Amino acid sequence: MIKLLVGLGNPGPEYEATRHNAGFWWVDEVARTLKTHLVPERTYFGCAARANTPAGPVWLLQPMTYMNLSGSSVTEALRFYKLDATRDLLVVVDDIALPCGAIRLRSEGSAGGHNGLADIEAKLGTHRYARCRIGIDAPGRIPQKDYVLGRFRDDQQPLVDEAIGLAVDATRCWIAGGITDAMNRFNRRAGEAEQAKG
């Protein structure tokens, strides 16, 4: 059974190193660990790669539609491969509600103010799909748009790198055992990371 792994971000060099592109970084790391390379795919408006895992084939996708229009790319990829969002889709995004170093998996839920998730839910007509949030810290006094489109501070970067590695491990767990298994194993670690930061 094919799985679709989607990391959200914004295309272009001006956004490459920004907090809002944590999902793209995760896709890049998954591609590296699976020894595959992303290439442009016009069919679903993104960059994609196929890879084999012990649990079956997966497709990696970085929508090139900009964050607010991510749903167009995701729905086209699901349609092209005849996949079911509830069963076959995992979306990874940045989250200002989580501290750097933490991740949080859910089997479904609201967009929580994230424009990429909101567009996916609007295009799919459902919020029932797995998602993994990577913490980027709260913006504090900085306007949210400026914060998410800014670069990580030196003290944040190693924590985010660690969280992305954790999200890659959680992805392997989701592919092999499903979202419940992944939540049971990795949300516990996310709670530990939050306590350590607090």
Side-chain angles (χ1 to χ4, degrees), residues 14-82:
E14 67 270 37
Y15 298 109
E16 187 174 346
T18 63
R19 295 180 177 96
H20 223 17
N21 273 34
F24 273 16
W25 297 3
W26 163 80
V27 171
D28 289 337
E29 184 62 15
V30 173
R32 187 190 68 79
T33 61
L34 294 177
K35 297 179 173 57
T36 189
H37 300 282
L38 296 156
V39 297
E41 289 287 352
R42 291 185 179 180
T43 304
Y44 29 87
F45 322 116
C47 290
R50 186 185 188 279
N52 291 317
T53 75
V58 298
W59 278 96
L60 313 179
L61 175 62
Q62 291 175 334
M64 293 288 121
T65 53
Y66 290 97
M67 184 70 78
N68 294 358
L69 299 174
S70 299
S72 298
S73 178
V74 173
T75 53
E76 282 302 309
L78 288 169
R79 183 192 61 78
F80 186 84
Y81 295 109
K82 298 179 174 62

Side-chain angles (χ1 to χ4, degrees), residues 35-190:
K35 297 179 173 57
T36 189
H37 300 282
L38 296 156
V39 297
E41 289 287 352
R42 291 185 179 180
T43 304
Y44 29 87
F45 322 116
C47 290
R50 186 185 188 279
N52 291 317
T53 75
V58 298
W59 278 96
L60 313 179
L61 175 62
Q62 291 175 334
M64 293 288 121
T65 53
Y66 290 97
M67 184 70 78
N68 294 358
L69 299 174
S70 299
S72 298
S73 178
V74 173
T75 53
E76 282 302 309
L78 288 169
R79 183 192 61 78
F80 186 84
Y81 295 109
K82 298 179 174 62
L83 303 179
D84 176 78
T86 303
R87 182 189 63 216
D88 305 320
L89 175 65
L90 175 66
V91 178
V92 176
V93 298
D94 60 288
D95 191 344
I96 61 171
L98 289 175
C100 284
I103 67 170
R104 181 75 63 189
L105 293 114
R106 290 285 184 265
S107 59
E108 58 182 75
S110 72
H114 195 285
N115 292 333
L117 291 180
D119 192 62
I120 290 173
E121 291 173 13
K123 297 291 197 315
L124 289 179
T126 182
H127 61 273
R128 297 187 61 206
Y129 60 88
R131 73 280 311 273
C132 176
R133 298 175 183 266
I134 295 174
I136 62 170
D137 281 341
R141 295 172 180 259
I142 303 173
Q144 182 173 324
K145 182 178 179 181
D146 294 339
Y147 181 78
V148 299
L149 294 180
R151 298 188 175 208
F152 287 103
R153 300 189 309 266
D154 288 345
D155 63 309
Q156 292 177 321
Q157 190 64 62
L159 296 171
V160 172
D161 292 341
E162 182 180 344
I164 288 172
L166 197 60
V168 172
D169 292 341
T171 301
R172 292 196 192 97
C173 183
W174 174 76
I175 293 169
I179 189 62
T180 300
D181 189 23
M183 289 191 298
N184 288 341
R185 289 181 57 188
F186 288 90
N187 284 352
R188 191 174 301 115
R189 298 190 199 181

